[in-house]
């Protein structure tokens, strides 16, 4: 089942295109990584999917999903690290878009606890968000994003600035979330990890774009140019499995 169709979309700012004539679709259960050079328009596209920027041309069609009920984890540099609130309060704020108001009931609190437990942060629900480490803050913000959605989560460079252990933990959490049936779209510069994690790759560049499975990507010309190591067997196995489903 398709959740989002991007049809011949051109996106940019003040009438100046950054992405031109881009088409692809996102289906339920996909794990899509968006990769490409700096300035290629990855974050611009993500803002378009969120409905924050409108296409200059073409259309983004939402099927079986409300764009106001998409979970979103922004780039770490855009997050206020000294936010004066408890972990629980930060996570509960993820319910606002889904509900349309700021008042929280018992169901919201149960959902927040559930998502904190999923990211292994339930025991810190009363802690101040500002006192957490960078990796812990990312986990909390991931739980907040999950409170906004049951279908689709968007992650913009979620491991930037994290140490190697926290990076591995974050990738594992995202994989677990995807296995629960939540569709994942992640912008990343880490192309080698992307092909290990994702079911599909969207590569945006100034010359040409690629959209397909991770297996197709590693054997494409654009994929071969950007990947630094040979394809690990588990990537091929994962991608073949997706293609046969």
């Amino acid at each position: 089942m398709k959740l989002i169709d991007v049809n011949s979309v051109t996106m940019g700012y003040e009438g100046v295109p950054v992405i031109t004539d881009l088409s692809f679709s996102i289906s339920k259960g996909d794990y899509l990584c968006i990769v490409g050079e700096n300035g290629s328009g990855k974050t611009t596209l993500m803002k378009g999917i969120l409905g924050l920027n409108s296409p200059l041309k073409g259309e983004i069609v939402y099927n079986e999903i409300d764009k106001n009920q998409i979970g979103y984890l922004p780039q770490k540099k855009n997050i206020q690290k000294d936010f004066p609130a408890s972990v629980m309060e930060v996570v509960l704020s993820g319910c606002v878009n889904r509900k349309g108001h700021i008042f929280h009931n018992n169901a919201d609190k149960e959902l927040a606890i559930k998502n904190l437990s999923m990211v292994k942060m339930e025991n810190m629900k009363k802690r101040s968000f500002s006192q957490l480490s960078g990796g812990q803050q990312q986990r909390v913000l991931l739980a907040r994003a999950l409170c906004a959605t049951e279908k689709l989560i968007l992650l913009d460079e979620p491991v930037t600035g994290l140490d190697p252990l926290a990076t591995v933990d974050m990738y594992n959490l995202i994989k677990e979330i995807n296995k629960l049936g939540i569709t994942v779209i992640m912008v990343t510069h880490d192309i080698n990890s992307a092909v290990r994690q994702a079911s599909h790759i969207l590569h945006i560049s100034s010359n040409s774009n690629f959209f397909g499975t991770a297996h197709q990507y590693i054997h494409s010309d654009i994929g071969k140019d950007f990947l630094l190591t040979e394809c690990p067997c588990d990537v091929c196995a994962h991608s073949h499995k997706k293609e046969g489903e």
Side-chain angles (χ1 to χ4, degrees):
M1 179 180 69
K2 290 184 179 180
L3 292 182
I4 297 177
D5 286 303
V6 177
N7 299 324
S8 301
V9 161
T10 295
M11 298 203 66
Y13 299 96
E14 298 181 354
V16 180
V18 176
I19 300 170
T20 304
D21 196 27
L22 178 64
S23 296
F24 67 97
S25 61
I26 302 161
S27 298
K28 177 177 172 57
D30 282 352
Y31 186 157
L32 171 67
C33 278
I34 303 176
V35 301
E37 307 93 329
N38 288 333
S40 59
K42 301 184 295 296
T43 298
T44 301
L45 174 61
M46 185 165 283
K47 289 180 178 179
I49 294 173
L50 287 167
L52 301 177
N53 290 337
S54 299
L56 300 176
K57 294 181 181 178
E59 62 177 355
I60 299 176
V61 180
Y62 302 87
N63 308 301
E64 305 295 329
I65 191 169
D66 187 329
K67 64 184 177 182
N68 294 319
Q69 296 177 348
I70 297 175
Y72 177 49
L73 177 59
Q75 288 188 31
K76 195 173 181 182
K77 66 182 181 180
N78 296 328
I79 295 168
Q80 184 179 344
K81 300 179 181 63
D82 59 350
F83 190 65
S86 70
V87 165
M88 185 67 171
E89 289 170 332
V90 170
V91 176
L92 277 171
S93 69
C95 298
V96 173
N97 280 354
R98 177 172 53 81
K99 297 178 59 175
H101 57 77
I102 62 174
F103 302 104
H104 303 300
N105 55 28
N106 288 334
D108 296 332
K109 294 174 183 177
E110 290 175 3
L111 179 62
I113 292 296
K114 173 187 172 183
N115 289 327
L116 277 171
S117 178
M118 184 182 300
V119 301
K120 303 175 178 64
M121 290 292 292
E122 182 181 1
N123 63 335
M124 294 192 178
K125 63 184 179 182
K126 295 182 180 180
R127 289 276 300 275
S128 171
F129 179 77
S130 62
Q131 293 177 350
L132 302 180
S133 69
Q136 290 171 332
Q137 288 186 343
Q138 284 294 87
R139 287 183 180 216
V140 170
L141 293 171
L142 181 57
R144 180 181 70 171
L146 289 170
C147 282
T149 187
E150 295 179 350
K151 295 182 178 180
L152 174 62
I153 188 168
L154 273 63
L155 313 169
D156 197 353
E157 300 285 358
V159 301
T160 298
L162 300 185
D163 63 48
L165 181 59
T167 294
V168 171
D169 286 344
M170 179 59 69
Y171 279 140
N172 287 339
L173 285 172
I174 295 168
K175 197 72 173 179
E176 290 175 15
I177 289 165
N178 181 239
K179 288 180 179 178
L180 292 175
I182 296 177
T183 303
V184 174
I185 304 175
M186 180 171 70
V187 169
T188 181
H189 281 96
D190 188 355
I191 297 180
N192 288 278
S193 291
V195 297
R196 290 179 173 87
Q197 298 290 325
S199 63
H200 293 76
I201 302 290
L202 172 63
H203 190 128
I204 305 174
S205 74
S206 56
N207 297 321
S208 62
N209 301 316
F210 171 92
F211 174 72
T213 66
H215 176 71
Q216 291 169 340
Y217 178 69
I218 61 178
H219 293 292
S220 68
D221 290 339
I222 192 170
K224 290 175 182 177
D225 286 342
F226 279 83
L227 287 166
L228 302 179
T229 60
E230 294 184 359
C231 167
C233 294
D234 61 333
V235 173
C236 285
H238 174 70
S239 300
H240 283 306
K241 181 177 183 297
K242 283 286 184 180
E243 289 173 353
E245 290 177 345

